[in-house]
């Protein structure tokens, strides 16, 4: 029998999703996979109920229902500071995961190189390899998770086809400054590279930090594919509604890749989420206020327990330092944490190219009572 694909020979399953299964096995509070345990906004739920009796149960237009794209274009035009064409510049995908894959396959040829910052969301390296390209990892140095401009230019000197930029960053919660983004922009222009952004946490940025859309920087619209989703903004991670925004000539290619990957995103869900896209600024202010409260609650609890942790500038993840417990494997620690302490986490090694085994990732996109329950369980670490 012939051998299977060499591209996938060294892949493992998603460690993040594996830790959700382990959390379920032991009845642990799942702070591993980043989804909330509270409902989406009521206006979206009400519209979802209405769609059951409407004629929206067949395929929509492959790259997204017309009214969905128009609502999304209006919203993103407001936030990105430039008019977005709903017909020529938006492709609706099955979550930002597919958006990133479609973007990667649009720009990268087999043998190309792609810059990925480390730590990184685990799909980025896999997307690069599945596209036949080779990742170049550039470290973000803790505790501030900044990059060294000279190290980054060394990576660009290898003539990559693209750079992947997650901002705010998962898992470290870094929000890149405008100066840092301008450094990336100048190098992308100098070495003629595309930039593929993952901006799913665009509305969860804690004061005094501010989110800057990379495509909005001078001269960057033409070489940027902006990827995002509605999962985190509207607490609908299971709906798998993502999108890319890019110049028309790039979007035309993305649409073709998307068509052959998944055909289209779920038509009823595109209809149901439109009220959310039409929310005013007060919704986004309230979302940020709620996550700011959760961050203060959870990080304050970790401080009371004497646990060393990062402080995210955006998104809703915390990196916890487990050095004191003497484990050689962060995966073994996470399995113990779920089994014996009752809290699910993700081993930090799944996010780093560097040999990191002393960090784990937790998230706080949960109800207050869930977070307090988790903190109460984490007191069990004092016995180790």
């Amino acid at each position: 029998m012939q051998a299977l694909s060499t591209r996938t020979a060294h892949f493992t399953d998603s460690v993040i999703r594996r830790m959700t299964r382990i959390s379920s096995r032991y009845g642990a509070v799942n702070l591993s996979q980043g989804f909330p345990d509270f409902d989406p906004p009521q206006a979206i739920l009400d519209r979802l109920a209405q769609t059951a009796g409407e004629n929206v149960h067949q395929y929509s237009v492959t790259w997204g229902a017309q009214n969905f794209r128009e609502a999304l274009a209006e919203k993103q035009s407001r936030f990105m500071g430039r008019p977005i064409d709903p017909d020529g510049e938006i492709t609706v995908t099955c979550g930002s995961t597919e958006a990133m894959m479609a973007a990667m396959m649009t720009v990268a040829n087999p043998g190309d190189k792609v810059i990925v910052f480390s730590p990184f969301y685990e799909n980025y390296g896999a997307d690069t390899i599945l596209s036949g390209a080779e990742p170049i990892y550039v470290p973000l140095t803790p505790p501030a998770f900044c990059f060294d401009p000279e190290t980054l230019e060394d990576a660009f000197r290898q003539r990559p086809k693209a750079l992947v930029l997650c901002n705010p960053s998962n898992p470290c919660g870094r929000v890149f400054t405008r100066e840092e983004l301008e450094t990336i922009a100048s190098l992308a222009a100098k070495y003629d590279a595309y930039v593929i952004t993952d901006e799913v946490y665009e509305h969860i940025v804690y004061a005094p930090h501010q989110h800057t859309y990379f495509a909005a920087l001078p001269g960057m619209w033409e070489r940027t594919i902006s990827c995002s989703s509605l999962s985190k903004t509207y607490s609908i991670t299971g709906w798998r509604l993502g999108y890319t925004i890019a110049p028309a000539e790039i979007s035309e290619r993305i649409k073709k890749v998307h068509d052959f990957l998944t055909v289209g995103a779920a038509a009823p869900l595109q209809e149901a989420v439109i009220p959310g896209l039409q929310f005013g600024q007060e919704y986004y202010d309230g979302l940020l206020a709620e996550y700011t409260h959760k961050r203060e609650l959870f990080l304050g609890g970790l401080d009371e327990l004497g646990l060393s942790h990062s402080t995210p500038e955006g998104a809703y993840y915390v990196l916890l330092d487990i050095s004191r417990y003497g484990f050689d494997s962060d995966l073994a620690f996470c399995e113990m944490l779920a089994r014996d302490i009752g809290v699910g986490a993700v081993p930090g090694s799944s996010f780093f190219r560097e040999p990191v085994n002393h960090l784990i990732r937790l998230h706080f996109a949960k109800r207050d009572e869930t977070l307090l329950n988790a903190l109460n369980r984490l007191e069990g670490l004092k016995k180790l």
Side-chain angles (χ1 to χ4, degrees):
M1 205 171 221
Q2 294 192 59
L4 298 175
S5 163
T6 56
R7 285 184 189 173
T8 57
H10 302 292
F11 279 21
T12 67
D13 62 321
S14 162
V15 180
I16 297 173
R17 267 78 81 184
R18 186 195 312 169
M19 291 312 304
T20 283
R21 295 191 296 272
I22 289 174
S23 295
S24 297
R25 182 189 311 161
Y26 295 116
V29 178
N30 184 5
L31 302 187
S32 52
Q33 190 173 355
F35 60 84
D37 62 350
F38 44 85
D39 287 336
Q42 190 60 48
I44 294 177
L45 294 178
D46 290 344
R47 182 69 186 110
L48 176 63
Q50 292 172 357
T51 62
E54 298 178 5
N55 185 26
V56 291
H57 302 293
Q58 312 308 324
Y59 297 125
S60 67
V61 174
T62 298
W63 49 86
Q66 184 70 35
N67 54 349
F68 177 89
R69 283 184 283 111
E70 289 175 354
L72 178 61
E74 184 176 349
K75 176 207 174 246
Q76 290 305 112
S77 295
R78 185 168 77 252
F79 283 105
M80 296 177 74
R82 64 167 293 128
I84 306 297
D85 176 10
D87 298 320
E89 297 174 344
I90 290 178
T91 307
V92 181
T93 60
C94 296
S96 61
T97 300
E98 192 223 329
M100 294 292 294
M101 188 73 238
M104 188 73 70
M105 295 185 73
T106 292
V107 303
N109 291 313
D112 284 341
K113 295 183 178 181
V114 175
I115 296 174
V116 178
F117 286 114
S118 173
F120 54 91
Y121 178 58
E122 60 185 359
N123 284 46
Y124 302 156
D127 290 348
T128 305
I129 294 167
L130 286 171
S131 300
E134 175 188 348
I136 307 170
Y137 294 100
V138 173
L140 297 174
T141 305
F145 292 101
C146 298
F147 62 83
D148 175 68
E150 185 58 34
T151 302
L152 181 59
E153 183 155 17
D154 283 343
F156 271 103
R157 289 187 181 105
Q158 299 182 49
R159 297 288 173 176
K161 193 68 170 291
L163 175 144
V164 176
L165 176 67
C166 183
N167 185 34
S169 180
N170 175 9
C172 64
R174 183 70 208 284
V175 175
F176 291 93
T177 66
R178 186 177 182 91
E179 181 180 6
E180 288 173 318
L181 296 176
E182 288 173 346
T183 296
I184 297 170
S186 67
L187 292 171
K190 180 178 179 179
Y191 293 96
D192 191 22
Y194 293 98
V195 176
I196 302 171
T197 71
D198 180 349
E199 296 176 289
V200 296
Y201 303 100
E202 61 201 287
H203 298 297
I204 307 175
V205 177
Y206 307 108
H209 306 284
Q210 293 185 327
H211 178 65
T212 299
Y213 291 93
F214 192 82
L217 294 176
M220 287 301 107
W221 167 256
E222 293 77 12
R223 64 177 66 251
T224 302
I225 302 175
S226 302
C227 301
S228 193
S229 87
L230 310 184
S231 293
K232 310 309 196 279
T233 300
Y234 305 108
S235 303
I236 49 172
T237 62
W239 288 29
R240 313 307 299 134
L241 292 177
Y243 57 88
T244 66
I245 294 176
E249 60 273 20
I250 298 176
S251 289
E252 279 304 306
R253 187 70 61 87
I254 294 172
K255 289 175 182 178
K256 296 173 185 177
V257 175
H258 159 72
D259 193 2
F260 287 107
L261 280 176
T262 61
V263 178
L269 301 183
Q270 292 183 57
E271 294 289 334
V273 80
I274 288 174
L277 295 172
Q278 296 170 338
F279 286 158
Q281 184 60 42
E282 66 278 2
Y283 173 79
Y284 303 98
D285 292 342
L287 178 77
L288 179 57
E290 183 63 24
Y291 273 113
T292 299
H293 161 73
K294 293 181 185 300
R295 185 182 72 149
E296 292 173 354
L297 173 65
F298 192 59
L299 269 59
L302 295 177
D303 289 338
E304 288 183 11
L305 294 172
L307 298 173
S308 178
H309 61 81
S310 64
T311 299
E313 299 169 351
Y316 46 60
Y317 302 104
V318 178
L319 293 175
L320 197 69
D321 191 326
I322 59 168
S323 302
R324 69 171 76 173
Y325 302 108
F327 277 71
D328 295 329
S329 165
D330 55 358
L331 177 58
F333 181 90
C334 286
E335 290 173 341
M336 178 281 299
L337 190 71
R339 182 186 64 245
D340 300 340
I341 305 298
V343 175
V346 182
S349 57
S350 64
F351 303 106
F352 285 84
R353 179 63 172 177
E354 301 77 29
V356 171
N357 280 287
H358 67 288
L359 297 173
I360 63 172
R361 192 196 75 174
L362 303 168
H363 82 87
F364 51 85
K366 299 294 185 186
R367 295 173 295 168
D368 286 6
E369 52 265 41
T370 303
L371 295 175
L372 292 171
N373 183 16
L375 290 166
N376 183 60
R377 295 184 182 202
L378 287 171
E379 287 194 28
L381 290 174
K382 295 178 179 179
K383 300 177 182 179
L384 297 182

